[in-house]
Amino acid sequence: MEQINKVNYTGEGVEVCYTLTEKGYAEEIKEYIKDEPHGDFLAALRALGAHFAVLSELRGIPADYIKGLSAWDAEKVRQSAAGRVSVTTVRIKEDDTAGRCVVLTGRRTLAAGGELSYKLPKLTPASPYAYLHQFTQDIEALLSETRAYLFDGKRAAVQGDLFAPAETTADDATEGRSTKNAKK
């Protein structure tokens, strides 16, 4: 059984850290895959961007979202944030007392044109976030897409060259994938 601890989208690939537990033995594994992820993975990451905008109290997000007076409308939040924020890293830690702790790291585009990268405080099941239920569903969607990307090979469709010769090797299945294992 694998437990994903970190998902980091670099724009050029995805780094995933997870714990693989078999027969009572836990192994920490870090993989970096250079292949472009499927659009479903990117959509799941964008869904977390709406939460990132609300949780970081980004100016221009309607006040009722920050105060929790409205029903969740991710599309309205995304339109208000208008590409000013993005989530790059999701860290997940299971805690015996607090439950699942999630920390989002992302970027914000500044008015002057630069980018500011920052990490939000951790969210737990006891956090006073009005949209915690939707946030939890969005985290589960990202984890599902990450598993499909990492273990099932779900990638973005790559347009090939129709006139290139078809050559394949035994290494094609692992191309673009690097694994580093660290025993616990």
Side-chain angles (χ1 to χ4, degrees):
M1 177 71 185
E2 78 283 334
Q3 178 182 332
I4 296 175
N5 306 316
K6 176 182 170 187
V7 178
N8 180 33
Y9 178 60
T10 65
E12 297 177 1
V14 179
E15 174 189 18
V16 180
C17 298
Y18 61 97
T19 304
L20 181 63
T21 305
E22 291 180 353
K23 299 178 184 176
Y25 177 75
E27 182 178 10
E28 297 292 323
I29 299 172
K30 178 180 179 180
E31 294 197 37
Y32 183 80
I33 303 172
K34 294 180 185 177
D35 299 335
E36 182 67 25
H38 193 274
D40 295 341
F41 173 91
L42 297 173
L45 200 58
R46 277 192 305 274
L48 290 172
H51 294 284
F52 190 79
V54 171
L55 289 163
S56 62
E57 299 177 357
L58 183 67
R59 292 179 82 189
I61 300 297
D64 58 0
Y65 280 91
I66 295 170
K67 294 177 183 173
L69 300 175
S70 242
W72 178 253
D73 184 348
E75 188 58 34
K76 185 174 180 183
V77 174
R78 276 195 292 273
Q79 288 173 357
S80 298
R84 294 182 289 161
V85 297
S86 63
V87 172
T88 56
T89 306
V90 177
R91 293 182 188 272
I92 302 165
K93 180 181 178 189
E94 298 294 335
D95 187 286
D96 292 338
T97 55
R100 178 184 278 176
C101 302
V102 178
V103 175
L104 300 179
T105 302
R107 290 189 285 250
R108 176 178 170 199
T109 303
L110 302 174
E115 283 189 338
L116 173 67
S117 181
Y118 57 100
K119 176 172 65 172
L120 295 177
K122 70 180 175 184
L123 281 172
T124 68
S127 294
Y129 178 45
Y131 309 108
L132 192 60
H133 177 72
Q134 182 64 44
F135 177 78
T136 302
Q137 289 179 338
D138 291 341
I139 287 291
E140 288 302 323
L142 178 67
L143 292 176
S144 175
E145 289 301 325
T146 300
R147 283 184 182 93
Y149 178 72
L150 185 62
F151 302 116
D152 300 336
K154 186 176 180 182
R155 307 282 195 274
V158 178
Q159 186 172 358
D161 184 354
L162 293 174
F163 302 104
E167 293 180 27
T168 60
T169 66
D171 291 335
D172 285 350
T174 58
E175 186 177 332
R177 187 173 177 156
S178 87
T179 305
K180 296 180 183 173
N181 296 335
K183 294 182 182 175
K184 208 172 184 184

